[in-house]
Amino acid sequence: MHKHLRFFLIWAVIAAGALPALLSGEPNPATTPSPATTAPSATAWRTETAEQRAARLLWWHQAKFGMFIHWGTYCVPAGEWKGQQIPGLGEWIQHKAKIPVAEYEKFAAQFNPTKFDADEIVRIARDAGMKYIVITAKHHEGFAMYGSKASPYNIVDATPYRHDPLKDLAAACAKNGMRLGFYYSQSQDWHEPGASGNAWDFKFSEDAYDHYLREKVEPQLRELLTQYGPVAVVWFDTPQHMTPERADRLRAIVKELAPDAIINNRAGPGGGDYGTPEQRIPKIGQAGDWETCMTLNDTWGFKKSDHNWKSAKTLVQNLVDIASKGGNYLLNVGPTSEGLIPDESIARLAEIGKWMKANGDSIYGTTPSALPPQDWGRVTANAGKTFLHVFTPPGDEIPVKGFVGTPKAVWLLKDVDRTPLKTRTTADGLLITLPAASVDPIDTVIVVENSTD
Ligand code: JFZ
């Protein structure tokens, strides 16, 4: 085949893969260099020692599991526009349907989430075993979900609700030892002429963009970092047009006002504290710190037509898989226009919480094990203990490949009496007898107290 034809075909295939996103404008993970592939530069923008960084991220490494909340006026249309179901992500409806700002901002006047209960949301997160919450303070639609003085396009000034839910959430988090972070779309803002992303109402210019950054983004960042208590995480997103200088300005504001805050790698060039693989779990883990963010169904923002809920088994096994590779799991809920988390989300999170209540020690603060991959599941490790996560028992004996020596003790993590499990060693490693009655259909966790020899 002629080399030019081959080249054309290769790009045609790639372009076809990108076509839906190109048409929709949504980033296409398949072809956009996912932020996760840009390994976070651990020190370039922070002058701290490795020990100082480790201390700053200690809680995050212990936490392993957080709640993502995508909430904005996009929950009012909830995926429908002019009687049509709009395909794609719920929070992208304005972009997908190219809704003019003058039309779209009318949703704010319909937004009155009187059933929002911050204490209940924090209870749901806590009972699921989640240790931090990251909520959209401003998504690409440009609507601030808090009382911003930098823009009247916000939930206090532009809705009948006339209340600041982030104040409530910050108070509820403080009351319950839940750390709170903010997602902030610093570059895309489909409401603002100078911002990136709205090519159907506006024409982009660098000067107007810098004006938008200085007049809206930087003031709002300062509001969020000074008016809602300690901010644990700043979750920037889609850094189009962000130059190293522009990104450094934002990171410098965070460092100035919330020096202990952890920043993801999506502020722009120059990286951040951690990588952000989205809707996927890296095959073998990835360089540096990282956090997989994922939806419970297929959309971040609420869509009434999206009923494709992942099972609790899938979600728990995702959490275990991620922890076994050294990552964090940020699992999303999309509240409705009434301010409620969908019942199906609550049900999944409750099931995860039930498993975490019995097995959380095999997740929190763990690191990847030195053992080789095991066919029946995953392995995590912490403080001299190895946690065997048996997803699919091969029989009533569990072969632990690569285990050397004789374990001090072996028991089921959920067994508070630590009844010893029967073991025998072979040339390949350790064999553990797992009684059928003890098998957990989601994940049976066996603790192996490491051998002394
Ligand atoms: C972004 C947002 O556009 C989306 O609405 C949601 O908030 C998600 C958590 O973050 O989605 C992205 C961003 C970047 C890529 C893919 C989806 N990417 O670079 O592949």
Side-chain angles (χ1 to χ4, degrees):
M1 180 187 294
H2 190 278
K3 63 182 170 46
H4 291 309
L5 175 59
R6 190 171 63 241
F7 176 84
F8 169 77
L9 285 176
I10 290 169
W11 279 105
V13 167
I14 292 175
L19 204 51
L22 285 178
L23 291 177
S24 71
E26 281 180 35
N28 177 357
T31 55
T32 348
S34 157
T37 54
T38 55
S41 59
T43 56
W45 48 276
R46 271 193 186 276
T47 51
E48 63 184 353
T49 64
E51 292 72 22
Q52 287 167 333
R53 182 180 187 280
R56 184 166 58 86
L57 271 75
L58 180 61
W59 73 265
W60 191 80
H61 287 135
Q62 292 287 339
K64 306 302 287 181
F65 189 30
M67 176 185 273
F68 215 170
I69 302 178
H70 274 70
W71 199 29
T73 62
Y74 39 76
C75 69
V76 174
E80 192 175 303
W81 172 245
K82 292 186 176 171
Q84 299 292 318
Q85 285 301 321
I86 305 299
L89 299 169
E91 69 282 4
W92 272 74
I93 188 168
Q94 184 186 358
H95 194 287
K96 196 82 166 175
K98 300 293 176 282
I99 304 172
V101 166
E103 284 296 301
Y104 188 83
E105 58 188 13
K106 290 175 185 169
F107 289 128
Q110 302 166 46
F111 191 22
N112 191 14
T114 52
K115 292 182 181 172
F116 177 77
D117 179 345
D119 289 311
E120 175 62 3
I121 287 179
V122 174
R123 183 201 62 75
I124 290 167
R126 189 197 56 213
D127 290 357
M130 295 163 153
K131 299 297 183 183
Y132 60 107
I133 291 175
V134 177
I135 186 167
T136 51
K138 178 189 75 99
H139 203 267
H140 308 332
E141 64 174 9
F143 185 79
M145 288 297 289
Y146 71 97
S148 172
K149 294 286 176 286
S151 160
Y153 193 48
N154 72 70
I155 194 166
V156 172
D157 298 320
T159 75
Y161 187 52
R162 307 204 67 74
H163 182 72
D164 185 334
L166 297 199
K167 287 274 187 212
D168 298 346
L169 190 62
C173 284
K175 223 174 357 182
N176 291 281
M178 181 72 69
R179 291 177 191 261
L180 178 63
F182 295 124
Y183 165 110
Y184 191 86
S185 173
Q186 76 277 19
S187 187
Q188 289 200 75
D189 185 318
W190 304 328
H191 187 263
E192 303 301 329
S196 166
N198 179 339
W200 59 95
D201 283 328
F202 311 119
K203 187 169 171 11
F204 179 81
S205 84
E206 292 291 338
D207 288 349
Y209 183 64
D210 277 318
H211 179 78
Y212 153 73
L213 291 176
R214 281 185 167 66
E215 296 307 310
K216 182 168 182 179
V217 172
E218 293 180 17
Q220 288 195 328
L221 209 43
R222 290 183 177 279
E223 289 172 335
L224 290 165
L225 294 171
T226 53
Q227 297 170 17
Y228 295 87
V231 176
V233 177
V234 181
W235 217 96
F236 289 111
D237 195 18
T238 61
Q240 285 106 336
H241 303 292
M242 289 305 286
T243 60
E245 297 69 30
R246 286 167 172 159
D248 279 343
R249 280 180 66 87
L250 302 188
R251 287 188 286 248
I253 291 170
V254 177
K255 193 178 163 203
E256 171 203 343
L257 300 176
D260 291 337
I262 297 172
I263 304 178
N264 73 352
N265 67 337
R266 299 190 183 184
D273 287 313
Y274 64 93
T276 51
E278 179 162 326
Q279 300 285 40
R280 63 180 183 88
I281 300 169
K283 287 268 173 298
I284 50 169
Q286 60 181 48
D289 291 302
W290 55 278
E291 170 194 76
T292 283
C293 55
M294 197 177 279
T295 52
L296 281 168
N297 48 8
D298 293 325
T299 177
W300 303 93
F302 179 69
K303 266 186 96 170
K304 55 191 150 201
S305 65
D306 185 336
H307 305 293
N308 189 28
W309 303 101
K310 297 173 180 74
S311 70
K313 177 173 182 174
T314 296
L315 296 163
V316 169
Q317 293 189 352
N318 284 349
L319 173 60
V320 171
D321 185 17
I322 289 164
S324 76
K325 294 165 179 171
N328 279 27
Y329 196 26
L330 190 64
L331 197 50
N332 183 74
V333 295
T336 66
S337 58
E338 293 182 296
L340 296 173
I341 294 178
D343 290 343
E344 298 85 349
S345 300
I346 295 173
R348 296 300 181 288
L349 292 176
E351 283 190 79
I352 296 170
K354 190 163 158 263
W355 183 88
M356 284 295 274
K357 196 170 170 64
N359 301 287
D361 286 353
S362 67
I363 300 292
Y364 299 126
T366 61
T367 56
S369 162
L371 285 175
Q374 309 289 325
D375 302 334
W376 36 257
R378 296 293 184 272
V379 186
T380 56
N382 191 6
K385 291 188 180 69
T386 299
F387 299 99
L388 310 179
H389 295 267
V390 184
F391 294 166
T392 46
D396 60 9
E397 278 202 307
I398 310 296
V400 187
K401 282 183 297 188
F403 189 89
V404 176
T406 311
K408 280 171 64 180
V410 179
W411 71 93
L412 286 169
L413 180 56
K414 63 186 174 186
D415 176 4
V416 292
D417 300 326
R418 297 192 176 189
T419 314
L421 293 179
K422 197 160 142 278
T423 64
R424 61 192 178 92
T425 50
T426 66
D428 297 334
L430 182 66
L431 277 168
I432 300 172
T433 301
L434 177 62
S438 307
V439 171
D440 177 329
I442 291 183
D443 171 16
T444 309
V445 184
I446 298 171
V447 189
V448 179
E449 198 153 6
N450 297 342
S451 57
T452 46
D453 46 335

